[in-house]
Amino acid sequence: MPAQAATESETGYLPEPARAEIRLEKVLSALSDPLRLNIVRAYLLDAGGVERSCSWFAIDRPKSTRTHHWKVLRESGIMRQRMVGLEKRNTVREEDLDARFPGLLDLVRAWEPEAE
Amino acid sequence: MPAQAATESETGYLPEPARAEIRLEKVLSALSDPLRLNIVRAYLLDAGGVERSCSWFAIDRPKSTRTHHWKVLRESGIMRQRMVGLEKRNTVREEDLDARFPGLLDLVRAWEPEAE
DNA sequence: GAACTAGTTCGATTACAGTCGAACATACAC
DNA sequence: GTGTATGTTCGACTGTAATCGAACTAGTTC
């Protein structure tokens, strides 16, 4: 759970590994899938550091597949998620990942999807 | 193939992607396997930057499984391999990977296998 | 040429991961 | 209470990857 004590407006956070529990091999595995890598990259480059809903970034997949990928990203410790009403708000755990794996998120920012 | 033209003592290099062709998602995928991550880490920390044979670092797997993993490491662009007589000599492509993905190899060096 | 060694290939098995449709749960608006 | 929207779960299917034994290849030593 995020560092500060939960208040009313901060409840609804989904379970996530603590900073010290984030494993490099889990993060690398999550990011090795181009679809997830693209999601994280979009949040880093275009979300402006604020929470965005799942539908903010269009994922060309059925809902169940999207749910699967968001779960992988959260459980690996890359994304933080909380429910607000109907929708899930997501952010990249930039502070945690920069502390644990300095430079990794810069590589994600610099990555470009392979041309079709 | 390595940048300089092959001479007699440099023949035997196995096919590998050119520096510009090394893909982040391929490298992350190769490194997401703890066995391979451990191999690369050992070469970075203990090989002293010189070529070492496949058997220099004991991999607790049958030969065919080891062949499989070495192939993944080479084809992703992480390891460079060449045959000398019977054995394969391996090095981490540190210069290439530092140029392409600055900081990534430091994360590998800093990684520690999960306690059993 | 035989024996030994490092490593490969093949094919099969197992495990894991990505895929998705259908049914479902929940929050919200009216 | 109904309708709509976001997202989940379940189970099944498909694809990918790790596993390994057996047979094999090639280099080296004697």
Side-chain angles (χ1 to χ4, degrees), chain B residues 43 49-52 78-81 89-93:
Chain B
Y43 271 76
V50 303
E51 284 178 326
R52 302 284 184 175
I78 296 170
M79 302 292 294
R80 168 165 293 141
Q81 298 187 289
R89 304 282 180 80
N90 315 297
T91 49
V92 179
R93 292 174 63 179

Side-chain angles (χ1 to χ4, degrees), chain B residues 40-51:
Chain B
V40 179
R41 175 176 176 267
Y43 271 76
L44 288 171
L45 295 182
D46 301 323
V50 303
E51 284 178 326

Side-chain angles (χ1 to χ4, degrees), chain B residues 12-14 16 39-40 42-44 47-57 59 66-67 69-71 73-74 78-84 87-94:
Chain B
Y13 280 98
L14 278 73
E16 63 181 33
I39 292 171
V40 179
Y43 271 76
L44 288 171
V50 303
E51 284 178 326
R52 302 284 184 175
S53 71
C54 292
S55 57
W56 167 75
F57 180 72
I59 304 172
R66 292 185 227 150
T67 297
H69 285 292
W70 281 113
K71 185 176 181 181
L73 287 172
R74 172 170 52 83
I78 296 170
M79 302 292 294
R80 168 165 293 141
Q81 298 187 289
R82 71 187 176 110
M83 294 303 299
V84 175
E87 52 177 40
K88 214 175 266 170
R89 304 282 180 80
N90 315 297
T91 49
V92 179
R93 292 174 63 179
E94 290 191 59

Side-chain angles (χ1 to χ4, degrees), chain A residues 54-55 63-64 67 86-88:
Chain A
C54 292
S55 56
K63 292 190 290 179
S64 47
T67 296
L86 282 171
E87 55 177 37
K88 215 175 265 170

Side-chain angles (χ1 to χ4, degrees), chain A residues 16-55:
Chain A
E16 62 181 37
R19 179 186 289 196
E21 250 83 77
I22 302 177
R23 295 288 306 172
L24 178 64
E25 65 272 24
K26 292 287 188 187
V27 168
L28 297 184
S29 177
L31 293 176
S32 69
D33 181 84
L35 190 143
R36 291 195 292 269
L37 187 51
N38 210 27
I39 293 170
V40 179
R41 174 177 175 266
Y43 272 76
L44 289 171
L45 295 181
D46 302 324
V50 303
E51 284 178 325
R52 303 283 186 176
S53 71
C54 292
S55 56

Side-chain angles (χ1 to χ4, degrees), chain A residues 52-69:
Chain A
R52 303 283 186 176
S53 71
C54 292
S55 56
W56 167 75
F57 180 73
I59 305 172
D60 182 28
R61 290 289 193 281
K63 292 190 290 179
S64 47
T65 306
R66 293 184 227 150
T67 296
H68 161 75
H69 285 292

